[in-house]
Amino acid sequence: MEPLIGTYRLITPDQRGRGRTRDMPGPISHEIMAEDYISLLDEQLGEPVHLLGYSDGAVVALFVALKRPDLVTDPVVVSGVYHRDGWAPGVLDTEVPEFMIDSYAEVSPDGRAHFTVVAVKLTQMRSTQPAITERELADVSCPTLVLIGDDDEVLLEHAVSFYRALPQGELAVVPHASHGVLVEKPELCSSMITAFHGSDKPATYAPIQRAN
């Protein structure tokens, strides 16, 4: 976030069951989390925003753009998929690193023991979600940046399909970066994000996808 301070007013809410936000009874889904963000934007801001989502949050941002395009100007989806098949083989089967459990326990109002409950809900969510089609992506009418690391947990082929299915898509593949791309290359990522949001982007010399 630090490189973006001064360019943007940053609002960084936690998703349900994450950070300082309590878990809620029942399942967790990307669409449920998108409804949470839609409520926040409607009630607290009342105007369109730049929306950046990372990993599961990227899917949430995509759902917000699909459901309420009036609330989002130009989303940035980082290391996220539009369909669960976009994860690299084995990624969803790996054990949660201990440092992530420690981080959860530091601030969660539900306590360390509740991590297992949230983890089960997220595993169930990712077993079937997301399942957005490329036809549905065509309904995302706003400019959208797809950003991943070149050694990401998201398949490069999936990111390319993601980009190509978006009417106003842009694609950024960050070199020597993994699924932790925002932490590994914060300055480079922030410069790409601010450039993407720029109002004075010049026409390219030999456009193909953007020729029309």
Side-chain angles (χ1 to χ4, degrees):
M1 294 184 292
E2 188 172 341
L4 299 176
I5 295 172
T7 303
Y8 301 87
R9 174 193 175 198
L10 299 180
I11 300 173
T12 58
D14 296 320
Q15 296 167 0
R16 58 173 63 198
R18 319 280 187 98
R20 293 173 173 82
T21 299
R22 287 192 178 276
D23 188 20
M24 302 288 287
I28 294 177
S29 74
H30 298 109
E31 291 191 76
I32 288 172
M33 290 187 284
E35 291 296 338
D36 292 339
Y37 278 82
I38 287 169
S39 296
L40 173 70
L41 295 174
D42 266 337
E43 295 170 12
Q44 301 297 324
L45 297 177
E47 61 182 358
V49 299
H50 303 299
L51 187 61
L52 183 149
Y54 161 71
S55 197
D56 278 336
V59 186
V60 174
L62 180 60
F63 269 115
V64 174
L66 283 166
K67 290 173 174 289
R68 288 292 303 275
D70 59 305
L71 294 177
V72 186
T73 56
D74 35 22
V76 177
V77 290
V78 182
S79 295
V81 300
Y82 64 89
H83 194 283
R84 63 187 181 278
D85 291 345
W87 294 111
V91 163
L92 299 182
D93 301 325
T94 57
E95 292 292 326
V96 177
E98 193 68 22
F99 79 86
M100 291 183 66
I101 303 175
D102 292 338
S103 296
Y104 173 89
E106 282 181 14
V107 296
S108 173
D110 296 319
R112 185 184 187 90
H114 193 76
F115 180 86
T116 302
V117 177
V118 174
V120 168
K121 289 183 181 184
L122 294 177
T123 297
Q124 292 171 340
M125 176 185 77
R126 293 169 185 145
S127 68
T128 60
Q129 302 172 31
I132 298 170
T133 66
E134 292 181 16
R135 173 63 191 86
E136 290 171 312
L137 289 179
D139 292 331
V140 181
S141 57
C142 54
T144 304
L145 175 63
V146 177
L147 189 155
I148 65 167
D150 64 350
D151 190 24
D152 210 302
E153 294 178 358
V154 177
L155 294 169
L156 282 171
E157 296 83 356
H158 184 81
V160 171
S161 297
F162 199 164
Y163 151 70
R164 286 178 172 162
L166 293 163
Q168 295 194 68
E170 297 189 25
L171 176 64
V173 180
V174 179
H176 198 73
S178 71
H179 195 62
V181 57
L182 293 180
V183 176
E184 295 161 349
K185 298 289 183 72
E187 297 289 346
L188 178 57
C189 289
S190 65
S191 67
M192 288 180 170
I193 291 164
T194 53
F196 166 67
H197 287 149
S199 59
D200 58 347
K201 288 187 287 189
T204 52
Y205 285 102
I208 297 176
Q209 173 131 330
R210 281 182 284 274
N212 296 319

